[in-house]
């Protein structure tokens, strides 16, 4: 390799000296290749390190596939060829904790659930592994987490070294290595052996804690989100603070929250039921009032009315109430910021094709609809109550001055 990678042998190296052997521009930024570096380039699911070279910020570190050189992308130009490098240690140690924790967790999933890790992502906000199993029970997840943390609590040594092909044959690797030469094996004593070029802690106890946060089924796979060390502590702090705030707001101890929330949910369900019943009665009363005030339109009486933010189910309920009386037509609509709704209905003794008229009204709003001759429903995207009312008024005027249309009238 063109660059000697110091982190292979000492992941705890925070500063280093090096010599610039190449200066280039990469993606519009100045970049340098050093004869040696302790800064880790993006690879193997682990993000790159950041830091400084002679007080100039290193914004990215990548590997050049052609010759194995490590490119250090810089926020500015470097003057001297001799540099002193400094690593952002907080970022580096966080990556060491998460990556080492992933090795332990992946092995625990194999031993408990025979679930192989097929993907790994270490991001700034979350860490995930993808497993080749879709059905993992809560009990299994708890067993996996317990095993992983037991390895941490035992503070097992973590070592990394390059091995020969002969040595490789006798190691119980978790999965075959992708590389064919220069294979580096990270070993968690007596538990996991993995071919890996990343940075790791020197003993499992430094991982601090491994906590599984969330599972997401993705087809035949499961994505497991977890956090380790300082991230796990921060996650606990956030959730503990939230728990305390909610408990204080409900005037209960945190240990009583489950019962308090269950009680609130039951009360909310009952309140919503009563509210729905009250709203239904109110709408029926409102429909009766509208039916009584229906306008004369030739051989029938007509109601054309629009509301703001009323759903189609409510419009149907009101329309059916209006047409309980003979010789009635209900042209009802609702305007809204997200979508509009239309419901047209007629009494059995009225000759009019509600589906045909509704399509005409919906088209004026840029929408569509359909249904039966006696009851039709449709809608469009966002429309103001004024726009909806105008469409209803247009249909009302057409019905009032002409004979009832047939479906063939509209092609």
């Amino acid at each position: 390799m063109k660059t000697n990678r110091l982190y292979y042998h000492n992941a705890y190296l925070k500063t280093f000296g090096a010599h610039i052997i190449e200066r280039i521009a990469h993606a519009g930024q100045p970049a340098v290749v050093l004869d040696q570096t302790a800064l880790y380039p993006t690879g193997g699911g682990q993000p790159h390190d950041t830091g400084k070279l002679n007080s100039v910020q290193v914004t990215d570190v990548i590997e050049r596939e052609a010759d194995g050189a490590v490119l250090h992308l810089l926020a500015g130009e470097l003057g001297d060829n001799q540099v002193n490098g400094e690593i952002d240690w907080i970022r580096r140690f966080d990556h060491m904790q998460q990556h080492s924790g992933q090795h332990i967790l992946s092995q625990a999933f194999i031993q408990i659930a025979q679930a192989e890790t097929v993907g790994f992502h270490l991001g700034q906000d979350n860490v995930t592994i993808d497993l080749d199993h879709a059905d993992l029970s809560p009990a299994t997840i708890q067993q996996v987490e317990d095993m992983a943390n037991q390895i941490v609590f035992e503070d097992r040594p973590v070592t990394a070294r390059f091995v020969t092909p002969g040595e490789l044959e006798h190691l119980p690797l978790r999965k075959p290595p992708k590389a064919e030469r220069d294979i580096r094996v990270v070993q968690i004593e007596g538990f996991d052996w993995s071919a890996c070029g990343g940075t790791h802690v020197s003993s499992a106890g430094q991982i601090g804690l491994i906590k599984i946060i969330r599972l997401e089924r993705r087809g035949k796979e499961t994505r497991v989100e977890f956090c380790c060390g300082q991230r796990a502590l921060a996650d606990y702090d956030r959730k503990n603070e939230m728990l305390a705030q909610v408990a204080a707001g409900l005037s209960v101890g945190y240990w009583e929250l489950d019962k308090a929330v269950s009680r609130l949910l039951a009360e909310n369900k009952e309140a919503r039921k009563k509210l729905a019943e009250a709203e239904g009665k109110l709408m029926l009363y409102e429909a009766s009032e509208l039916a009584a005030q229906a306008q004369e339109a030739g051989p029938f009486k007509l109601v054309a009315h629009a509301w703001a933010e009323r759903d189609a189910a409510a419009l149907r309920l009101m329309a059916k109430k209006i047409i309980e009386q003979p010789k009635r037509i209900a042209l009802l609509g609702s305007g809204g910021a997200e979508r509009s709704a239309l419901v047209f209905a007629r009494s059995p003794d009225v000759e009019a094709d509600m589906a045909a008229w509704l399509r005409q009204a919906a088209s004026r709003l840029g929408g569509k609809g359909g249904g039966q001759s006696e009851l039709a429903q449709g809608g469009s995207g966002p429309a103001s109550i004024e726009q909806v009312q105008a469409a209803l008024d247009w249909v009302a005027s057409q019905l009032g001055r002409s004979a009832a249309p047939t479906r063939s009238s509209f092609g």
Side-chain angles (χ1 to χ4, degrees):
M1 292 185 180
K2 192 169 184 178
T3 305
N4 179 26
R5 307 186 187 205
L6 301 174
Y7 55 81
Y8 275 159
H9 311 288
N10 184 2
Y12 291 82
L13 195 63
K14 299 181 181 68
T15 60
F16 65 97
H19 188 75
I20 297 175
I21 58 176
E22 184 179 351
R23 296 174 184 266
I24 62 172
H26 182 87
Q29 282 187 260
V32 296
V33 177
L34 306 177
D35 60 348
Q36 62 178 8
T37 186
L39 290 159
Y40 181 83
T42 298
Q46 180 176 326
H48 63 86
D49 286 328
T50 57
K52 293 180 179 179
L53 296 178
N54 285 358
S55 75
V56 176
Q57 187 68 39
V58 177
T59 61
D60 199 357
V61 187
I62 59 177
E63 178 182 341
R64 190 165 61 192
E65 294 186 8
D67 57 1
V70 177
L71 303 183
H72 303 74
L73 277 65
L74 305 171
E77 296 287 350
L78 275 172
D80 298 333
N81 284 332
Q82 192 66 31
V83 298
N84 292 312
E86 179 183 349
I87 293 174
D88 179 344
W89 177 246
I90 293 177
R91 176 182 169 94
R92 158 65 74 80
F93 190 67
D94 169 61
H95 292 171
M96 291 164 63
Q97 286 184 316
Q98 310 311 314
H99 202 159
S100 301
Q102 177 263 313
H103 281 219
I104 293 176
L105 196 61
S106 290
Q107 180 61 244
F109 268 111
I110 289 176
Q111 296 194 22
I112 298 296
Q114 295 75 54
E116 299 276 353
T117 295
V118 294
F120 167 53
H121 170 74
L122 200 174
Q124 182 175 346
D125 300 317
N126 67 344
V127 192
T128 61
I129 55 174
D130 294 331
L131 304 174
D132 63 358
H133 276 44
D135 298 310
L136 295 167
S137 68
T140 297
I141 296 300
Q142 189 60 59
Q143 284 182 281
V144 168
E145 190 178 275
D146 289 345
M147 173 180 280
N149 281 294
Q150 185 58 42
I151 300 301
V152 172
F153 300 154
E154 291 174 4
D155 196 23
R156 297 199 186 191
V158 179
T159 57
R161 63 188 181 92
F162 288 93
V163 298
T164 65
E167 291 176 304
L168 192 65
E169 293 179 2
H170 301 288
L171 293 177
L173 294 183
R174 180 160 26 93
K175 59 182 179 180
K178 294 181 180 179
E180 297 182 357
R181 60 187 181 85
D182 297 326
I183 296 173
R184 181 174 178 260
V185 174
V186 175
Q187 175 184 348
I188 298 164
E189 188 177 84
F191 186 70
D192 183 68
W193 291 258
S194 297
C196 181
T199 58
H200 296 272
V201 296
S202 60
S203 66
Q206 294 181 40
I207 297 170
L209 178 71
I210 299 174
K211 181 61 185 175
I212 295 174
I213 298 174
R214 186 172 65 92
L215 301 183
E216 177 187 352
R217 183 165 178 172
R218 301 168 68 87
K220 296 182 179 180
E221 298 179 359
T222 299
R223 175 158 292 180
V224 180
E225 183 177 349
F226 67 97
C227 55
C228 304
Q230 190 63 41
R231 292 196 192 194
L233 178 60
D235 182 69
Y236 178 86
D237 285 343
R238 285 192 301 269
K239 291 174 180 176
N240 187 61
E241 182 180 359
M242 186 183 302
L243 200 67
Q245 289 176 353
V246 173
L250 297 177
S251 299
V252 297
Y254 75 86
W255 57 91
E256 300 173 298
L257 268 178
D258 55 345
K259 294 180 180 179
V261 171
S262 295
R263 184 179 68 254
L264 284 174
L265 289 174
E267 291 173 354
N268 179 261
K269 183 178 181 181
E270 182 63 22
R272 289 171 66 88
K273 179 182 177 182
K274 291 181 178 179
L275 179 60
E277 291 173 353
E279 287 179 339
K281 292 177 181 178
L282 180 62
M283 282 189 289
L284 291 177
Y285 175 79
E286 189 176 358
S288 297
E289 288 289 301
L290 286 171
Q293 300 169 14
Q295 297 178 357
E296 296 284 350
F300 47 78
K301 291 187 176 182
L302 186 147
V303 174
H305 195 84
W307 293 265
E309 306 293 346
R310 184 162 287 187
D311 61 31
L315 297 180
R316 284 197 305 273
L317 178 66
M318 298 183 72
K320 289 179 179 180
K321 181 65 176 176
I322 292 171
I323 64 173
E324 285 179 356
Q325 298 185 36
K327 300 294 182 180
R328 294 291 190 278
I329 288 180
L331 308 176
L332 308 183
S334 172
E338 295 185 0
R339 64 175 290 105
S340 63
L342 298 173
V343 172
F344 288 6
R346 63 169 172 80
S347 302
D349 56 356
V350 173
E351 291 185 8
D353 189 342
M354 293 295 99
W357 283 115
L358 186 134
R359 285 196 295 273
Q360 288 287 298
S363 68
R364 299 176 75 87
L365 297 171
K368 57 184 179 179
Q372 304 300 317
S373 173
E374 64 275 11
L375 177 65
Q377 178 179 324
S380 69
S384 68
I385 186 173
E386 291 81 12
Q387 290 173 311
V388 175
Q389 186 65 59
L392 301 182
D393 290 342
W394 178 84
V395 173
S397 67
Q398 297 300 308
L399 281 166
R401 73 168 73 133
S402 65
T406 62
R407 289 180 183 271
S408 60
S409 301
F410 303 99

